Amino acid sequence: MGTTVIKESFEIVYEKYFSDIYNFIYGQILHRERAEDLVSDTFLKAMTNYDRFDPARASVRTWLTNIARNTLIDDYRKSSIRNHASLDDDESYIEPSYEDEYKVLKEDDEREVYRILSLLSEQERELATMIYFQNMKNDEIGVILGINAKAVSERRRRLLAKCRKLAGDFTLY
């Protein structure tokens, strides 16, 4: 006989994974207010589609991270369209200033992590947030990125080497 997996209520899922999803998105865009908006979008999409979530196929965290990732991709596309439009088309759009966000950080360690993240590519930030902010295992990351755990391990090794180089003597762990 197979085991039956019981889905948690969406309220519990929201409370349990809000921080993971916020950290994942914030780590990608490094802008608090925009991250809050995208987290809201992510959970709205998740709530709308929760009846289609299959716990036998993926964990809730993996499923939510995929939704967050797709929400970010959609946002990047919209931002790209806005950035290429003339000022007459959309004068209300303002590109976020990473320097403004940086000034909010109080601790030297936070500032250093922020500085390093801002120097990474989008793909490297995505991997870094899954590893260090969400504490995801290589197999979970592989499911999201569509690669095997060994490839994740190699990317992880290269990312850590790059972060160490950027940080000098600052350690990430």
Side-chain angles (χ1 to χ4, degrees):
M1 235 193 234
T3 57
T4 303
V5 180
I6 299 172
K7 286 180 11 180
E8 298 173 300
S9 73
F10 191 76
E11 294 81 21
I12 291 172
V13 167
Y14 178 83
E15 289 174 19
K16 194 172 182 180
Y17 296 102
F18 177 85
S19 292
D20 278 346
I21 299 306
Y22 176 84
N23 290 337
F24 174 74
I25 290 175
Y26 180 81
Q28 294 296 299
I29 60 175
L30 303 175
H31 191 271
R32 184 181 41 82
E33 290 162 350
R34 195 164 143 225
E36 290 169 356
D37 290 342
L38 292 173
V39 170
S40 294
D41 292 348
T42 297
F43 278 103
L44 182 60
K45 289 175 187 176
M47 184 177 66
T48 303
N49 294 295
Y50 192 55
D51 60 326
R52 292 192 270 172
F53 166 65
D54 182 0
R57 291 186 61 207
S59 70
V60 175
R61 181 169 68 168
T62 301
W63 179 71
L64 286 170
T65 301
N66 267 320
I67 294 172
R69 188 173 192 244
N70 290 332
T71 301
L72 279 165
I73 291 168
D74 291 345
D75 185 66
Y76 290 145
R77 287 183 186 140
K78 288 176 192 172
S79 295
S80 177
I81 291 168
R82 287 183 198 147
N83 287 339
H84 289 96
S86 73
L87 289 177
D88 293 334
D89 292 338
D90 187 3
E91 292 182 17
S92 63
Y93 180 74
I94 299 170
E95 187 65 30
S97 167
Y98 294 124
E99 287 187 20
D100 291 342
E101 192 75 8
Y102 184 79
K103 291 175 188 172
V104 173
L105 300 173
K106 307 247 185 299
E107 302 293 323
D108 289 341
D109 290 352
E110 289 176 350
R111 286 179 177 230
E112 183 64 7
V113 170
Y114 184 91
R115 184 188 69 79
I116 292 168
L117 284 171
S118 70
L119 296 172
L120 299 176
S121 71
E122 288 177 18
Q123 292 82 15
E124 291 167 333
R125 272 197 312 273
E126 179 178 52
L127 182 60
T129 56
M130 285 189 265
I131 293 168
Y132 297 108
F133 297 165
Q134 292 185 287
N135 296 313
M136 295 180 99
K137 304 285 186 232
N138 288 354
D139 57 336
E140 289 178 290
I141 295 168
V143 168
I144 293 166
L145 299 180
I147 59 177
N148 65 40
K150 188 174 182 178
V152 172
S153 181
E154 180 57 26
R155 287 184 186 185
R156 181 183 209 140
R157 185 193 62 73
R158 287 192 311 255
L159 173 65
L160 185 57
K162 183 174 182 176
C163 289
R164 282 183 175 146
K165 182 179 177 190
L166 291 169
D169 62 353
F170 183 83
T171 56
L172 294 174
Y173 45 88

